C-alpha cells in the first residue's frame, strides 16, 4: 500500500471527493513543502532510506495540515474539499485580480463582510472571495522583506502584527488578501499577500520565548533599562555587549545610503531615550516587528559612533543580537496572536478635535505668506482616498490629508480602506488651499503602521503622477517645502487632464516636470527652499527639526484652471453677475425706451487674473490669482475670432488679444508680430479676462428691466488680454529657440530676457518637455523662400469666391517690399538670420493675397516688420509667382502684381535683419494722433488713439451666409491732449474684432476722414481698413486723460475743430432756460395723465430735465447746457426735494422757466413756477463751478449788429457766445 492510500485511510476519507482532495494535499505537500523542511542528504546516504524518511515527513505534515483546517473550520466530520492548495508560482502567474481567502467563512458571513466593506467606502467593490489555501515557510527577503516560500517560488507578505518567532517556520495562512502586480507601476515581478491575523504554525519546534531554558537566556536576565543604557553611551568599552529593554518611542523607515540599508528606532523609559541602529542585513526584518508603544528587549548591543550625527554614540545591533517583542520585566510572555482581535476594535484618534486645532492654527498667523510651526501628533484613521500613489498623497477619514513624500517610498502602498496608525506625524493647517485644511505629513521620524487591511479592490492607477515617483525625487533633489510640493502635486493632477494626451505626447513624466517647473516659477527658485536635510538629526535628535517642522501658509497662491473651465465660468457668470440697471448711466431712470435699449445693446465685463490688482468689489470673493497653461496658436477655421491668436490646451481654445514690447520704443507696446511664439507651450499668469455682452431688447421703460420677456436675444464673447512679455515659456518651439539664441539671452543684461533664459534651462526640458509643441511637420522637406517687409496691411473680410462652400472665404491683402530673390533650402530655415543670398540692392513691390487657410497669418503681420515667406515642399522658385529665382534684378509679375499665398506656406518673423546694409524703414504712411487727424486735410488717414467710449449701433445684416448682430460700432478715440474723434466701423463684412474696449489703444489703418453737415470731423471704415490693438489698458484702473483747462474767451475765438473737451472754471451769472418734463418713454411726447400723442398708447413715462445758463470766467462768457441728473446738482436740491418736484409736476406734465434779461420775472401765478424762479436766482445756484464741457459743433460765426444812440447809429461786430455742453460738475470752487 503506497503513501497516498495510507494517508487516505489515516484521515478516514468519506467518499471519492474527499479521497481525491486528500491525495492532492499529500501531493502538494510532497512537491512544494517537504523539500524546504529536509536538509540535503549526505552523498553516501541510502536513497531508499532517504525516500522513506521523506515520505514519513510528508504524511506527517499533510496530517497536520488537514487537522489544522478542520480545527479552523470547526467541522471534524467533513473536509473542506471546496478549498484548494495553491503554489506560490501559480498564485502569482494565474491570479490577476485582487482577491480574499478566508477558510472559516460561510456564505452569509462573506456577503455580510462584503456589504460592510462597500458601505464603508461607497463606489468601491469588495474583494472577491477565492477558495485557495496557502502553505509555506516564512523566510527573510531582500531589504527586510518577509516572504512566503515553497518549492515553486516566493511571494512578499505584509503582516498586521509580526512575531520574530515566525521566521523560518512552516505556516498555514487561514485569512489573507492577494494584491496582484500593477503593470503601470514600477514594482516587482509579482504581487504580494496581505496576511490578516496570525498565521498557524504547522511544524513543531522549540518556542523562542522569554522564559530561558537551562543554561540560556543570560542576555535577557542581564537586560538593563533605558536609563542605565543611556549611561553606557558615555562610556565606550571595546567588546562590551548589553541587552536593553524599554518601550518603543519611534520607528524610522528603512533608508538606503551609499548602498547600505538601515533603520533606527528609539527606546524610552520615563524621560530617558536611547536610539538603536539596525544595519545588519540579517536583522532588517526587525523593521516590521517593532511598533510604537510596544515593549521590547534587544540583546547583544554594542556602543558605536554614528558618523554624521555630531559624533554622538548610539547602540548598534550585532550579528548575535536578538529581539524579543511584548517584553515585560516579569518575563511574562504576551500572546503573539492578538492581531486579529485588535483589528475589530474601532480606533480612537489620538488628536484634538478639529475645531480646537483649527482655532489654534489660525491664531498663529493670519496674513498671507506667513510661516507656521507644525505640531507633532499621533493619529488613527481609515484611508478613504488615494489621491496620488506616486506622489504619496492620501485622504484619511474623508477630511484629513496625508503626505508621505518626505519618507522613502513604501514597499506596500496604502490602499483605500486601510486602517492606519501614525506616530510622530506633523499636523499642518491649510498648507495648500488645493488640499484639505487639515494635513498630516510624515518625516524620517514618523512611523506608519497598518492595523487593518482594506477590504475593497483598488481603482485603476491614477494618472496624476507616474508610479516611479518623479515628484518625490524632485523633492529630494530640490529641497522644497511641503506647501510648494502639495501645490505642484495638485498642478500635476490638473495638467494630466488638461494637457495629456492632446498637447503633451510623452505623458506623465512631462506633466510632473512641468508642474515642478511651474511651481518654481510661481514661488521663486529660492523662496520656499529648505536647507539640506540632515537625516540623522531628523531621526535621532531629541529637539526635532525636519523639512515640515515649519511651513508657509499663503491663501493667495496661484490657482490653475483649464481653458474650458475658465471659458465656461466666464460665460455662466456673464449675465448672472450683472444687473441690467447697473449697465445704465446714473440718470438711467430718465432715459427713454430707445435710449435704454441702445445703452444695453453692448457692455463689457473685465477681470484681472490677480484679484489683488482688480478694483471690482465683487471680485474680492476670489482671493487667488489664476494660472493658465497652453500653446499659442494661430486662429483655426473654427475659431470664434480670426483677428487674433488663441491659447489652447487639451480641453478648449480661447481667443487672446496680445501685445509685445516694441524694440523701437523703449517700454512701448505694439501689436504682436513675432511668429516665434506660435507653437510654444507657455504659462499665462498675468492677464485680463474680458466678457463682451450683446443684448437685443425692447424694454418700454426703466421699470421693466427686470422682466426678461422684453429680451429678444443675448449672447456673449469671452477672450483674454495679455502681453507676451508677461508669459513664461515652458517649452519653446524651434523658432523660439532660434530667437533666444539670436538675442544672446545667456549674456544679456536685460532682466526680462534673462528670465526667459532661466526658464528654458530647466534640467528636464530638453528631453521631456521640448516635444510638447507637437510634430514639426514639413520642416525637414526642401523649400524656397523670400524675405519681405510689410508696408501696408488691408482689413480681414469675407470675400465672395464663388467656388467655396457657402460662397465666402476670409481674405486680406498685404502690400510688401521684397528685399531679395528666391532662395532654395534643404529644410525650412524658419527665423534664422538673413544670409547674403537673400539680399539684393533693389526692392520690388508686390501685393500678397492671403485667403482661406492662409488668412490665419493676419494677427501677426504688422507694418514695418520683416518676414520670411517659405513655400513648403518645393524646389522650383517659380512657385513663388513674381519672384526672380536667378538673382537678376527686376521681378516678373502677374498683370495684377499679386502673389497668392497657399495655405501650407509658412511665415517667419525676422526681428533683426542685420544683413541689410541699408536697412530702410518701411514706406508705410505716417501714424497720426487724434489731434493730427482733426487738424489735417488728408482723406485717407492712419492714426492711433485711446478708446474712451464705445456705442453699439443696432442693425442686423446677413452676408455670405453669416448673420451679424450689432455690426455697427461707434468708437470715441482720444489722445493725451483730451481731444476726441468719432470713428464708425461697419463690421457686416468682417469677422467680429475683439479688443475694441475703452482703455485700449488702437491703431486704425486706411480709414476715411470725413466732415459732417455740421462741420465735425469723423472717420469711417473702408473695405481696406484694418484695426489692431497696440496697447492694453483698463478703463477702471487707468482714468482717461482729463481735458485741458480752457479759458472761455480764447476758446471761443480758437479755430480748433469741434468736439474738443475742456475744463472750465467760472461763476454762474444767470439762468437762461429751465425745463422739467414728464415724457413718454416710447415717443418722447409730454406725458401728464397719458401720452399727449394720439398715435401712442404707452403707459410709461420718464422724468427729464434741461437747463441752460451763462457762466463767466473773466475772459469771456459761455452758454452751457445741462441735462439729466446734472440739473438737480446744479439747482442744489436734495433728493427728497427733487422727488417732490417730480410728484408735483405729475398732473401738469411739464414746466418751463424763461427769465427776462438778467432778472427772473414770472407773470404766472403757478407756485411751482415761482419756486423754480426763486431757486434759479438764489445765491446757492449762482456760485462758482468747475465744469468739464464739450464744445458744440454748430458754433455761429461773428455777426454785425446796429446800435442807435440818440441820432447816431453804430455798426459793430459781435461774437456769438460760446456754446458748451456740460459733462460733469464740481461745485464750490474758489
Amino acid at each position: 500500500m503506497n503513501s497516498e492510500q495510507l494517508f487516505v485511510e489515516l484521515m478516514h476519507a468519506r467518499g471519492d471527493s474527499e479521497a481525491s482532495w486528500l491525495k492532492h494535499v499529500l501531493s502538494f505537500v510532497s512537491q512544494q513543502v517537504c523539500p524546504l523542511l529536509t536538509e540535503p542528504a549526505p552523498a553516501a546516504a541510502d536513497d531508499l532510506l532517504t525516500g522513506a524518511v521523506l515520505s514519513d515527513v510528508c504524511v506527517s505534515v499533510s496530517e497536520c495540515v488537514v487537522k489544522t483546517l478542520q480545527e479552523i473550520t470547526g467541522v471534524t466530520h467533513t473536509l473542506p474539499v471546496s478549498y484548494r492548495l495553491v503554489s506560490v508560482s501559480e498564485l502569482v502567474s494565474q491570479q490577476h485580480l485582487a482577491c480574499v481567502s478566508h477558510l472559516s467563512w460561510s456564505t452569509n458571513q462573506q456577503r455580510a463582510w462584503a456589504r460592510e466593506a462597500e458601505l464603508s467606502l461607497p463606489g468601491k467593490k469588495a474583494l472577491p472571495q477565492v477558495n485557495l489555501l496557502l502553505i509555506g515557510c516564512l523566510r527573510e527577503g531582500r531589504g527586510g522583506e518577509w516572504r512566503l516560500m515553497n518549492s515553486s517560488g516566493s511571494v512578499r507578505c505584509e503582516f498586521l502584527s509580526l512575531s520574530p518567532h515566525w521566521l523560518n517556520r512552516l505556516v498555514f495562512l487561514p485569512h489573507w488578501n492577494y494584491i496582484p502586480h500593477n503593470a503601470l507601476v514600477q514594482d516587482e515581478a509579482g504581487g504580494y499577500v496581505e496576511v490578516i491575523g496570525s498565521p498557524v504554525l504547522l511544524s513543531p519546534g522549540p518556542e523562542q520565548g522569554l522564559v530561558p531554558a537551562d543554561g540560556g537566556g543570560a542576555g535577557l536576565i542581564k537586560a538593563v533599562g533605558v536609563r542605565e543604557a543611556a549611561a553606557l553611551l558615555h562610556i565606550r568599552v571595546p567588546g562590551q555587549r548589553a541587552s536593553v529593554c524599554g518601550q518603543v518611542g519611534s520607528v524610522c523607515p528603512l533608508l538606503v545610503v551609499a548602498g547600505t540599508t538601515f533603520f533606527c528606532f528609539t527606546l524610552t523609559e520615563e524621560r530617558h531615550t536611547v536610539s538603536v541602529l539596525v544595519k545588519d542585513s540579517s536583522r532588517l526584518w526587525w523593521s516590521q516587528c517593532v511598533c510604537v508603544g510596544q515593549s521590547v528587549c534587544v540583546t547583544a548591543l554594542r556602543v558605536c559612533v554614528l558618523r554624521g550625527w555630531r559624533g554622538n554614540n548610539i547602540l548598534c545591533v550585532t550579528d548575535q543580537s536578538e529581539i524579543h517583542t511584548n517584553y515585560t520585566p516579569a518575563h511574562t510572555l504576551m500572546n503573539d496572536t492578538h492581531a486579529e482581535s485588535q483589528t475589530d476594535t474601532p480606533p480612537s484618534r489620538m488628536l484634538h478635535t478639529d475645531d480646537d486645532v483649527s482655532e489654534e492654527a489660525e491664531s498663529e498667523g493670519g496674513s498671507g505668506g506667513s510661516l507656521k510651526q507644525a505640531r507633532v501628533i499621533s493619529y488613527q484613521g481609515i484611508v478613504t482616498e488615494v489621491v496620488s500613489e506616486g506622489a504619496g498623497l492620501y485622504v484619511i477619514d474623508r477630511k484629513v490629508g496625508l503626505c508621505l513624500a518626505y519618507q522613502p517610498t513604501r514597499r506596500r502602498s496604502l490602499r483605500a480602506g486601510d486602517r492606519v496608525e501614525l506616530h510622530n506625524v506633523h499636523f499642518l493647517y491649510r498648507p495648500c488651499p488645493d488640499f484639505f485644511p487639515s494635513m498630516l505629513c510624515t518625516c524620517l521620524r514618523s512611523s506608519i503602521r497598518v492595523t487593518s487591511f482594506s477590504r475593497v479592490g483598488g481603482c485603476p492607477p491614477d494618472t496624476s503622477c507616474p508610479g516611479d515617483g518623479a515628484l518625490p525625487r524632485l523633492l529630494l533633489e530640490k529641497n522644497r517645502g511641503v506647501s510648494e510640493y502639495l501645490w505642484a502635486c495638485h498642478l500635476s493632477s490638473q495638467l494630466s487632464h488638461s494637457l495629456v494626451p492632446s498637447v503633451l505626447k510623452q505623458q506623465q513624466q512631462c506633466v510632473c516636470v512641468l508642474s515642478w517647473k511651474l511651481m518654481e516659477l510661481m514661488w521663486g527658485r529660492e523662496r520656499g527652499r529648505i536647507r539640506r536635510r540632515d537625516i540623522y538629526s531628523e531621526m535621532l535628535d531629541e529637539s526635532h527639526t525636519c523639512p515640515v517642522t515649519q511651513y508657509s501658509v499663503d491663501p493667495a497662491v496661484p490657482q490653475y484652471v483649464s481653458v474650458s473651465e475658465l471659458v465656461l465660468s466666464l460665460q455662466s457668470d456673464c449675465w448672472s453677475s450683472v444687473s441690467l440697471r447697473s449697465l445704465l448711466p446714473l440718470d438711467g431712470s430718465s432715459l427713454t425706451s430707445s435710449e435704454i435699449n441702445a445703452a444695453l445693446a453692448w457692455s463689457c465685463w473685465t477681470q484681472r487674473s490677480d484679484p489683488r490688482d482688480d478694483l471690482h468689489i465683487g471680485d474680492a470673493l476670489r482671493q487667488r490669482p489664476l494660472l493658465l497653461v497652453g500653446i499659442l496658436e494661430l486662429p483655426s477655421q473654427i475659431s470664434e475670432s480670426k483677428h487674433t491668436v488663441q491659447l489652447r490646451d487639451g480641453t478648449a481654445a480661447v481667443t487672446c488679444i496680445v501685445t509685445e514690447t516694441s524694440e523701437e520704443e523703449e517700454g512701448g507696446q505694439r501689436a504682436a508680430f513675432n511668429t516665434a511664439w506660435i507653437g510654444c507651450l507657455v504659462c499665462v499668469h498675468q492677464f485680463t479676462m474680458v466678457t463682451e455682452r450683446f443684448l437685443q431688447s425692447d424694454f418700454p421703460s426703466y421699470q421693466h428691466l427686470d422682466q426678461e420677456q422684453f429680451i429678444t436675444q443675448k449672447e456673449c464673447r469671452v477672450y483674454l488680454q495679455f502681453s507676451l512679455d508677461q508669459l513664461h515659456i515652458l517649452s519653446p518651439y524651434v523658432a523660439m529657440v532660434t530667437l533666444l539664441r539670436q538675442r544672446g539671452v545667456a549674456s544679456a543684461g536685460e532682466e526680462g530676457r534673462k528670465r526667459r533664459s532661466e526658464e528654458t534651462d530647466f534640467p528636464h526640458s530638453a528631453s521631456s518637455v521640448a516635444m510638447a509643441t507637437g510634430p514639426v511637420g514639413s520642416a525637414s522637406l526642401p523649400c524656397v523662400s523670400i524675405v519681405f517687409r510689410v508696408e501696408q496691411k488691408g482689413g480681414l473680410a469675407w470675400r465672395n469666391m464663388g467656388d467655396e462652400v457657402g460662397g465666402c472665404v476670409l481674405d486680406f491683402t498685404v502690400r510688401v517690399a521684397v528685399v531679395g530673390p528666391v532662395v532654395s533650402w534643404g529644410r525650412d530655415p524658419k527665423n534664422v538670420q538673413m544670409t547674403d543670398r537673400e539680399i539684393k540692392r533693389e526692392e520690388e513691390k508686390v501685393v500678397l493675397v492671403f485667403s482661406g487657410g492662409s488668412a490665419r497669418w493676419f494677427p501677426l503681420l504688422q507694418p514695418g516688420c520683416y518676414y520670411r515667406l517659405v513655400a513648403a515642399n518645393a524646389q522650383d522658385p517659380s512657385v513663388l509667382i513674381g519672384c526672380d529665382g536667378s538673382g537678376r534684378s527686376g521681378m516678373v509679375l502677374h498683370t495684377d502684381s499679386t502673389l497668392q499665398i497657399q495655405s501650407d506656406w509658412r511665415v517667419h518673423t525676422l526681428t533683426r535683419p542685420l544683413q541689410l546694409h541699408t536697412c530702410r524703414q518701411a514706406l508705410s504712411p505716417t501714424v497720426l494722433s487724434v489731434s493730427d487727424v482733426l487738424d489735417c486735410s488728408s482723406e485717407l488717414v492712419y492714426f492711433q488713439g485711446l478708446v474712451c467710449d464705445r456705442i453699439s449701433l443696432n442693425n442686423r445684416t446677413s452676408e455670405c451666409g453669416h448673420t451679424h448682430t450689432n455690426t455697427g460700432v461707434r468708437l470715441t478715440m482720444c489722445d493725451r491732449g483730451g481731444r476726441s474723434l468719432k470713428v464708425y466701423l461697419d463690421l457686416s463684412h468682417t469677422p467680429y474684432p475683439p479688443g475694441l474696449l475703452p482703455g485700449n489703444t488702437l491703431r486704425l489703418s486706411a480709414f476715411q476722414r470725413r466732415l459732417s453737415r455740421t462741420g465735425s470731423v469723423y472717420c469711417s471704415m473702408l473695405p481696406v481698413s484694418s484695426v489692431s490693438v497696440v496697447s492694453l489698458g483698463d478703463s477702471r484702473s487707468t482714468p482717461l486723460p482729463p481735458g485741458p483747462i480752457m479759458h472761455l474767451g480764447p476758446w471761443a475765438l480758437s479755430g480748433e475743430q469741434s468736439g474738443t473737451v475742456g475744463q472750465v472754471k467760472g461763476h454762474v451769472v444767470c439762468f437762461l432756460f429751465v425745463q422739467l418734463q414728464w415724457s413718454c418713454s416710447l415717443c418722447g411726447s409730454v406725458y401728464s395723465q397719458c401720452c399727449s400723442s394720439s398715435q401712442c398708447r404707452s403707459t410709461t413715462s420718464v422724468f427729464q430735465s434741461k437747463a441752460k445758463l451763462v457762466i463767466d470766467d473773466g475772459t469771456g462768457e459761455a452758454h452751457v447746457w445741462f441735462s439729466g441728473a446734472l440739473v438737480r446738482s446744479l439747482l442744489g436740491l436734495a433728493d427728497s426735494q427733487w422727488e417732490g418736484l417730480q410728484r408735483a409736476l405729475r398732473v401738469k406734465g411739464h414746466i418751463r422757466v424763461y427769465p427776462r434779461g438778467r432778472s427772473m420775472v414770472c407773470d404766472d401765478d403757478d407756485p411751482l413756477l415761482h419756486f423754480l424762479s426763486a431757486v434759479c436766482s438764489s445765491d446757492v445756484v449762482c456760485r462758482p463751478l468747475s465744469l468739464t464741457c464739450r464744445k458744440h459743433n454748430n458754433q455761429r460765426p461773428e455777426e454785425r449788429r446796429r446800435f442807435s444812440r440818440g441820432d447816431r447809429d453804430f455798426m459793430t461786430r459781435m461774437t456769438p457766445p460760446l456754446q458748451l455742453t456740460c459733462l460733469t460738475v464740481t461745485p464750490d470752487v474758489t
Side-chain angles (χ1 to χ4, degrees), residues 779-1034:
S780 60
L781 299 177
C783 58
V784 291
S785 71
I786 57 171
V787 176
F788 63 86
R789 182 183 66 246
V790 176
E791 296 188 348
Q792 181 180 344
K793 182 175 73 169
L796 185 65
W798 297 103
R799 313 290 183 188
N800 193 345
M801 306 302 290
D803 57 342
E804 299 290 340
V805 177
C808 291
V809 296
L810 283 175
D811 178 275
F812 74 97
T813 59
V814 179
R815 184 174 180 267
V816 304
V818 179
V819 299
V822 179
V823 177
S824 298
W825 304 84
R827 57 181 300 173
D828 189 348
K830 298 189 182 298
N831 58 336
V832 299
Q833 290 188 352
M834 291 178 58
T835 63
D836 295 335
R837 300 187 298 163
E838 298 179 279
I839 306 172
K840 64 180 180 180
R841 293 174 178 266
E842 298 182 2
E843 295 180 350
E844 302 294 341
K845 309 300 181 183
V846 65
V847 176
L848 305 182
V849 179
F850 295 80
S851 61
S854 62
R856 68 185 187 276
W857 296 103
F858 179 83
L860 298 178
L861 293 176
Q862 306 298 343
C865 298
Y866 286 83
Y867 300 89
R868 176 182 285 121
L869 175 63
V870 178
N873 196 17
Q875 293 178 303
D876 185 4
S878 64
V879 298
L880 294 176
I881 301 174
C883 297
D884 182 11
S886 61
R888 294 172 297 174
S889 63
M891 179 177 291
V892 181
L893 300 175
H894 280 178
T895 55
D896 55 1
S897 301
T898 60
L899 174 61
Q900 184 72 36
I901 306 301
Q902 302 301 317
S903 60
D904 61 338
W905 292 3
R906 297 186 61 85
V907 178
H908 302 287
T909 304
L910 301 179
T911 56
R912 293 182 177 181
L914 301 179
Q915 283 76 8
L916 291 177
H917 300 289
T918 56
C919 186
R920 294 173 290 275
Q921 295 294 326
L923 301 179
S924 57
T926 303
V927 179
L928 306 176
S929 65
V930 171
S931 298
D932 295 335
V933 175
L934 291 173
D935 298 334
C936 74
S937 59
S938 302
E939 182 177 357
L940 200 65
V941 292
Y942 300 77
F943 67 100
Q944 74 178 37
L946 183 69
V947 180
C948 56
D949 189 24
R950 166 176 169 155
I951 295 178
S952 181
L953 306 179
N954 290 322
N955 56 352
R956 186 181 180 90
T957 62
S958 180
E959 188 73 24
C960 296
H962 301 272
T963 301
H964 305 271
T965 304
N966 296 329
T967 56
V969 175
R970 191 192 76 182
L971 300 177
T972 301
M973 311 286 293
C974 65
D975 56 14
R976 293 299 176 184
R979 304 184 67 183
S980 60
L981 172 69
K982 299 292 190 300
V983 180
Y984 294 85
L985 284 74
D986 181 8
L987 307 178
S988 59
H989 301 281
T990 180
Y992 180 81
L996 308 182
L997 307 178
N1000 284 352
T1001 302
L1002 307 181
R1003 177 167 297 177
L1004 295 86
S1005 302
F1007 271 68
Q1008 185 179 14
R1009 179 184 182 275
R1010 308 180 71 176
L1011 288 176
S1012 66
R1013 286 176 293 180
T1014 59
S1016 64
V1017 177
Y1018 69 96
C1019 290
S1020 61
M1021 191 175 187
L1022 297 174
V1024 296
S1025 303
S1026 65
V1027 181
S1028 58
V1029 180
V1030 298
S1031 182
L1032 304 176
D1034 191 342

Side-chain angles (χ1 to χ4, degrees), residues 298-309:
V298 187
T299 64
L301 295 174
R302 66 184 180 91
V303 180
C304 61
V305 176
L306 181 61
R307 296 179 181 178
W309 185 40

Side-chain angles (χ1 to χ4, degrees), residues 398-463:
R398 295 187 176 89
K399 60 183 178 181
V400 179
L402 175 63
C403 176
L404 308 181
Y406 288 87
Q407 280 192 348
T409 304
R410 291 176 54 84
R411 185 166 42 234
R412 175 196 178 272
S413 300
L414 297 180
R415 299 193 295 119
D418 285 345
R419 192 184 300 272
V420 294
E421 182 181 291
L422 308 172
H423 292 279
N424 298 313
V425 65
H426 294 265
F427 175 80
L428 299 80
Y429 189 71
R430 297 190 185 279
C432 179
D434 294 308
F435 283 87
F436 288 89
S438 299
M439 288 292 300
L440 301 177
C441 190
T442 59
C443 65
L444 294 183
R445 198 167 187 171
S446 307
S447 61
I448 307 170
R449 176 173 172 250
V450 178
T451 59
S452 177
F453 292 122
S454 172
R455 303 180 181 184
V456 298
C459 295
D462 63 275
T463 58

